[in-house]
Every structure is written in C-alpha cells, then in structure tokens.
Amino acid sequence: MNRRNFLQSATLAGFASLIAPTSLFAFNKDAKKVRIGMIAVGMRGQVHLDELLKRDDVEVVAIADPEPRMIKRAQKIVDKHKKTQPIVYGNGDYDYRNLLQRDDIDAVIISSPWEWHEIQGIESMKAGKIVGMEVCGATTLEECWNYVDTYEQTGVPLMALENVCYRRDLMSIFNMVKKGKFGEMIHATGGYQHDLRNVLFNDGEQPYGNGVEFGEKGFSEAKWRTDHYVNRNGELYPTHGLGPVGVMFDVNRGNRITHLTAMSSKARGLNKYIKENGGSDHPNAQVEFKQGDIVTTTLKCENGETIVLTHDTSLQRPYNLGFKVQGTEGIWQEFSSGDFDKGFIYFEKEMGYNHQWDNAKQHLEQYDHPLWKNNQEKAVGAGHGGMDYFMINAFVESIKQNTEFPFDVYDLATWYAVTPLSEKSIAENGQVQEMPDFTKGAYKDRKTIFGSNDKY
C-alpha cells in the first residue's frame, strides 16, 4: 500500500491519536526526521523556518513562495543555520502544488495571505500532507466546513498554529483554572489590540512608521492585509483572544460556543494615518475603509460562560491583548501583554475580602505551567517571547509521537468562523448569529489536549 492510498483508506478511530492506525511519520519506519515543506516564507513564514531549522529532528525539504525577495530572505536564514538549502518552488502563485506532489514531505506549514488558506490547506490534506495552519479568520462559513469535511474525508490532520495560547502568563492562568483556583468560570475577555498601521501601510522603503502604501505598491502584509480593511468589517483576527480563553473554557472539549453578536465603531484611524504621513493629496487618503476602528464581539457558551473579543488595530495604542479571566472565586487581568511580572489578580477569601488588587507575579510563579517550568531554556530566543518554540514543538512532537494536536481542525473551524459570523452580525445591526457545531456532537466527549503534559 502506498502512502497516498494509506491515507485515503484511513478512518478516524477516536481522538487518542493523530492518525489511525498509525501516523504519517510512523508510516516510514526508518524515519529519523519530520520532513516539512513551507508554503509561503514571508515575514511570518521566516519566523517558523528559523524555529524549525534549530531542530535536529526536522528537515525542511522545500519552500514555495511567488516573491523572489522572500525566497532570498528565507535562504539566508537557512545559511545562518548551516543547513542544506531546500528546493525552491517560486514559479508563480500555484507552484506550491508541485511541492505537494513530492513524496518526501510529511507535513507543510502554511503562512500565506489569509485568502489562500482554504485552497492551500485543503489541497495539502488531499495530497496527504499534515498541515500546520497559520491563524486568521475565515472569509466565509463554508470555508470552515470545507476544512472539516476534507479532514473527515482524508483523515489527514491539521493543527491551528495559535501561539498566544503558549504565552507564559496565560499558561499559568490556564493551570489555575484547571486546578479550580478561580472556582466556576464565568467570563473572559481578550482580543487583538495592536497598532498595525505600520504593517498595513508599508512600501518596504520608507522608514518605520512613515509608509502609506498598500496593495501592489505595498511590502509584505501591506500587499494583501490592508485590502481586507477596505472591503470587510468584522472581527478579522479572532484567534489570539479566543484560543487561550477557549482552552480555559473547554470549547469543543465538553463545551461549545453557541452564538455571538458583534458591533463595529466608525472608521477613522487609517484615513487619519495616511493624511498625517502621506498628505491629504495622497491617492490613498481618498480610500474608504469599511473596517471599523473598534470591533466588539460577544460570544455565549453552552455551559453559560461569556467571552468578549476586541479587534483594535487601526488607532494609536500600546500593544495589549486585553485578557481578563473571571470566575466565582477570583479574577485576573493583564497589564501589558507578555509581561510575566505584571498584571492584577484578586481572590477575595484568600485576600481577606479587602477588595484590593494584588500583583499577579507571585501567583503566576506559584502556578507556572510545567511546560514552561521544565522547558524555559529551550524557548530562549524563540519568536514572540518563546511562544513560537512551544507551538512549533507541539506540532513536531505530535507528529513524532502520533498524538492528537492540541488544536485541531475543529478548533480552527470554530475560531475562523467568528470572522464571517461577526461580519454578518455587524451588517445586520448586531443580530445574533448561531455558531455551528463543527464536531457534530463529538465535543461532548472530547478531552482537552492542550497543556496536558510537560513536554509539548
């Protein structure tokens, strides 16, 4: 039986393993390394590439990207690590399909612009390649079902690459939640509160902060991401806020999101930025952006919890993802994202009903998750304060050990679905939108995988 036929005949036999009866990696009994292909090596893909090349159990076989500039940047990273240069597929937008035809690739990591995720993810699964999918939000609800349907037809797994779930303070809070420190969970907030104006307008030439170009004249994400702000209005990037809160609330693992509603403010920030940095007579100063500066989405869970997500990327502001976690016995909220020694916490019984915030540091240290406690040195120098090490490590080790991904295709579909549902809710003046159950009832018996061991 060849590898492709093996995949097509495999069926999902529960949630204990990545592939039943054996993983793609284990199918090659003599394999020493997980062989990976990179689809898109732009700025985010280069971070993944750098992390993969640090490992002795990974071989980056091939990379695909239509941008020669990005290919060259990726090749420099390979040279830095003194590794063999991967085969390049750079002949246009669809040359990645030739990468997918290779028989010496076990998995792919997809870091392409959002509008390419569906076609590349589905074609990768159909080609028998395990998928690590960068996060964003779906364009349509149908896209989310297509991921699920393709997985269930092929048996080829997909991991949602949400790195914020691995942030040290959030993993400590997750540990507290699972140990009952907060009592019964009630409410949480999170989001993407990050001034992206420098990203959305960048021609690759102007000094940082002065670019006002996007589309064909843009550099990196400005080539494509800004167009979403021109044409859409919704919670465009839900996973950074929803992922960490979702694992605390057991979403898709005994609980699920049932419905949501969303509202959007007016759009002013991007036009103001263009006029101040490019002048009122710049052509882009006349662009009408549909995306509201602040989008607020409220989600309801079957078990009664509520979640509020905030998308705030078009105005001046310090970076902060706005996390707050509240239960019947305690509350925590961050001060500035990623600062382990900051934040505020309150447990009324433990603190003598004094109604005073306590610095969260000592509590976070006490409940430091074993994953961080035992592997912190390995994460030194990794992207986003070490989060990227733990995320990539989970992807690679899950393949090697043939264990279920911590975030699978059902999680991806649910997280991604927030975007089109929020767009529809905003267009209908805040009308409630039902969240599909992508697990088709299986969520009731699925167990939380994330944070369940101290190795990955």
Side-chain angles (χ1 to χ4, degrees):
M1 181 184 292
N2 66 33
R3 188 164 171 271
R4 184 75 53 82
N5 290 337
F6 161 75
L7 285 167
Q8 291 174 340
S9 64
T11 57
L12 186 65
F15 297 95
S17 62
L18 200 62
I19 286 282
T22 181
S23 73
L24 296 178
F25 182 74
F27 189 69
N28 181 358
K29 300 299 183 182
D30 298 322
K32 303 296 183 184
K33 298 182 178 182
V34 179
R35 301 165 300 180
I36 292 179
M38 305 287 295
I39 297 180
V41 286
M43 305 307 284
R44 185 59 179 145
Q46 290 165 35
V47 174
H48 292 322
L49 177 64
D50 185 64
E51 199 60 43
L52 290 168
L53 292 171
K54 295 175 184 177
R55 306 179 65 102
D56 294 328
D57 56 355
V58 166
E59 178 185 0
V60 179
V61 175
I63 59 177
D65 197 296
E67 290 280 346
R69 186 174 185 175
M70 295 303 176
I71 291 290
K72 289 179 181 178
R73 291 173 66 103
Q75 290 172 327
K76 288 182 179 179
I77 295 172
V78 177
D79 286 338
K80 180 186 75 171
H81 289 279
K82 296 180 171 57
K83 297 291 182 74
T84 302
Q85 284 290 343
I87 304 300
V88 173
Y89 293 90
N91 186 22
D93 290 341
Y94 293 93
D95 205 14
Y96 72 88
R97 288 173 171 168
N98 291 314
L99 180 152
L100 292 178
Q101 291 178 9
R102 298 183 67 95
D103 290 329
D104 57 351
I105 290 177
D106 303 301
V108 295
I109 289 182
I110 298 174
S111 308
S112 52
W114 301 342
E115 54 268 26
W116 285 92
H117 285 202
E118 179 183 11
I119 184 172
Q120 291 174 342
I122 287 173
E123 288 183 0
S124 296
M125 285 189 279
K126 289 181 176 179
K129 306 296 188 281
I130 298 172
V131 175
M133 177 69 80
E134 254 300 334
V135 291
C136 63
T139 303
T140 66
L141 202 60
E142 182 183 13
E143 175 185 339
C144 302
W145 279 114
N146 287 342
Y147 292 123
V148 171
D149 292 342
T150 303
Y151 165 67
E152 293 180 346
Q153 292 162 8
T154 64
V156 180
L158 177 153
M159 176 174 166
L161 299 179
E162 179 43 70
N163 61 350
V164 177
C165 293
Y166 290 95
R167 209 176 81 185
R168 187 182 176 193
D169 59 342
L170 288 169
M171 290 204 73
S172 182
I173 296 298
F174 169 82
N175 199 23
M176 291 189 208
V177 168
K178 295 307 172 186
K179 291 181 182 299
K181 183 74 173 176
F182 287 91
E184 183 178 357
M185 300 313 299
I186 303 295
H187 178 73
T189 68
Y192 196 48
Q193 301 181 150
H194 186 185
D195 181 359
L196 291 183
R197 294 173 299 170
N198 298 317
V199 173
L200 297 172
F201 304 115
N202 189 341
D203 59 10
E205 301 295 337
Q206 295 288 339
Y208 183 76
N210 292 333
V212 293
E213 299 293 352
F214 66 93
E216 289 300 318
K217 294 182 179 180
F219 170 74
S220 187
E221 291 182 57
K223 279 185 173 293
W224 54 269
R225 188 169 186 158
T226 317
D227 285 335
H228 290 272
Y229 288 68
V230 176
N231 298 307
R232 307 174 70 184
N233 188 16
E235 171 49 80
L236 297 182
Y237 207 67
T239 67
H240 279 351
L242 182 54
V245 171
V247 294
M248 295 179 196
F249 286 4
D250 295 320
V251 171
N252 288 337
R253 316 276 175 166
N255 194 8
R256 79 178 190 91
I257 297 167
T258 56
H259 56 280
L260 64 78
T261 182
M263 296 186 72
S264 173
S265 77
K266 57 189 174 183
R268 294 292 185 270
L270 299 186
N271 284 114
K272 181 175 183 288
Y273 181 88
I274 295 170
K275 291 175 182 177
E276 291 179 348
N277 290 277
S280 298
D281 58 347
H282 193 284
N284 288 341
Q286 310 308 316
V287 174
E288 181 179 346
F289 294 93
K290 291 184 179 179
Q291 177 68 19
D293 290 339
I294 309 290
V295 172
T296 306
T297 305
T298 302
L299 305 95
K300 185 67 179 288
C301 296
E302 183 176 80
N303 292 348
E305 306 91 343
T306 52
I307 302 169
V308 175
L309 301 179
T310 302
H311 185 276
D312 172 5
T313 63
S314 302
L315 296 170
Q316 51 77 39
R317 62 160 301 116
Y319 175 74
N320 188 306
L321 298 186
F323 282 107
K324 179 174 69 176
V325 175
Q326 192 166 12
T328 56
E329 299 293 332
I331 180 173
W332 167 82
Q333 65 181 44
E334 69 176 358
F335 174 74
S336 59
S337 293
D339 287 339
F340 191 72
D341 60 343
K342 297 182 180 179
F344 306 98
I345 203 162
Y346 179 69
F347 300 104
E348 68 170 7
K349 294 176 183 176
E350 181 179 321
M351 298 175 185
Y353 301 88
N354 65 7
H355 295 278
Q356 299 292 319
W357 289 109
D358 192 11
N359 185 288
K361 181 180 179 181
Q362 62 178 343
H363 303 273
L364 295 174
E365 289 177 340
Q366 181 181 353
Y367 287 90
D368 201 9
H369 194 280
L371 195 62
W372 268 94
K373 190 182 297 184
N374 298 336
N375 301 281
Q376 187 173 355
E377 291 184 1
K378 297 177 182 178
V380 173
H384 294 90
M387 296 187 293
D388 288 344
Y389 162 77
F390 290 104
M391 181 185 68
I392 290 296
N393 189 59
F395 181 68
V396 173
E397 289 295 335
S398 294
I399 295 173
K400 289 168 56 181
Q401 304 301 326
N402 189 26
T403 54
E404 183 186 356
F405 284 138
F407 317 116
D408 62 13
V409 70
Y410 301 105
D411 299 311
L412 180 93
T414 302
W415 299 349
Y416 270 33
V418 171
T419 299
L421 290 175
S422 69
E423 289 181 275
K424 192 169 188 293
S425 180
I426 289 169
E428 296 176 357
N429 293 319
Q431 288 296 307
V432 172
Q433 307 295 321
E434 293 187 7
M435 173 68 74
D437 173 15
F438 293 102
T439 74
K440 303 170 187 174
Y443 74 93
K444 297 176 182 178
D445 299 314
R446 280 161 48 92
K447 305 301 181 184
T448 298
I449 302 299
F450 174 75
S452 59
N453 65 56
D454 60 358
K455 293 183 175 61
Y456 62 93

